[in-house]
Amino acid sequence: QVQLVESGGGLVQAGGSLRLSCTVSGNIFSVNDMAWYRQAPGKQRELVASATRGGAITNYADSVKGRFTVSSDNAKKTVTLQMNSLKPEDTAVYYCNVEGFYRDLREYSAWGQGTQVTVSS
């Protein structure tokens, strides 16, 4: 089993910053790809940022480029999302997604429980 624990959401004024963290635990062999998604009310879940190839390659949605930074620490099995210059349209529930291998080399894909980010205008 893989467990993901997210933290760092909350309420912030427009222009402010928040830092989300996602820590992976369980009987796993590796964490390969990590990503943050978000889902606003009435909208589909969308990819915000990803860190693949062990964090060597990062990608961002156009709407967050230059404001958000994703980073991963494979030793600590943690991925973080630093969010700066937040806008009201960033308001959503943010989910962490992690993919890798168990010790028996089966692949896994796991989701965090979600953390609410609310940006007031």
Side-chain angles (χ1 to χ4, degrees), residues 57-111:
I57 300 174
T58 58
N59 287 290
Y60 298 91
D62 288 342
S63 58
V64 306
K65 281 181 181 177
R67 300 188 297 121
F68 290 12
T69 302
V70 63
S71 59
S72 63
D73 184 331
N74 288 332
K76 295 181 179 179
K77 296 183 174 60
T78 299
V79 60
T80 60
L81 184 68
Q82 178 66 43
M83 304 185 294
N84 299 327
S85 302
L86 283 161
K87 304 176 180 180
E89 51 263 44
D90 294 318
T91 295
V93 178
Y94 284 71
Y95 297 90
C96 174
N97 174 252
V98 174
E99 297 181 350
F101 292 92
Y102 289 107
R103 296 188 184 280
D104 61 5
L105 301 185
R106 289 178 297 122
E107 293 183 87
Y108 70 83
S109 178
W111 290 88

Side-chain angles (χ1 to χ4, degrees), residues 104-121:
D104 61 5
L105 301 185
R106 289 178 297 122
E107 293 183 87
Y108 70 83
S109 178
W111 290 88
Q113 79 280 10
T115 186
Q116 177 69 46
V117 171
T118 302
V119 184
S120 63
S121 57

Side-chain angles (χ1 to χ4, degrees), residues 5-49:
V5 176
E6 300 176 19
S7 62
L11 173 64
V12 65
Q13 289 188 334
S17 298
L18 283 173
R19 183 179 179 89
L20 305 183
S21 293
C22 175
T23 301
V24 188
S25 63
N27 190 26
I28 59 175
F29 175 72
S30 68
V31 175
N32 291 8
D33 301 332
M34 295 177 153
W36 288 95
Y37 289 75
R38 68 186 180 187
Q39 187 166 19
K43 295 187 178 181
Q44 290 188 333
R45 189 172 296 188
E46 63 173 350
L47 178 64
V48 176

